[in-house]
């Protein structure tokens, strides 16, 4: 027969994280400049790919 095992418990780090208050969505704001720069870089990348495909 197989020996009985104790039920699995949460690790110490997991129980500690569960008790801490998680930040709300309002606290995690991203600056508008970061979003604009990301959109501009994405547009440049898509434009570059479009020009490369058009030349072939």
């Amino acid at each position: 027969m197989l020996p009985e095992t104790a039920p699995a418990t949460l690790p110490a780090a997991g129980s500690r994280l569960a008790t801490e208050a998680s930040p709300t969505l309002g606290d995690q704001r991203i600056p508008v400049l970061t979003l604009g720069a990301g959109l501009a870089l994405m547009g440049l990348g898509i434009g570059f790919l479009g020009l490369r495909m058009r030349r072939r």
Side-chain angles (χ1 to χ4, degrees), residues 7-33:
T9 59
L10 290 174
S15 62
R16 192 172 5 137
L17 289 175
T19 59
E20 294 177 4
S22 61
T24 60
L25 189 59
D27 295 338
Q28 299 175 354
R29 293 192 178 176
I30 301 173
V32 177
L33 181 63

Side-chain angles (χ1 to χ4, degrees), residues 31-53:
V32 177
L33 181 63
T34 304
L35 293 174
L39 284 173
L41 288 172
M42 190 177 299
L44 287 172
I46 291 173
F48 174 75
L49 289 176
L51 287 175
R52 292 285 296 177
M53 290 177 68

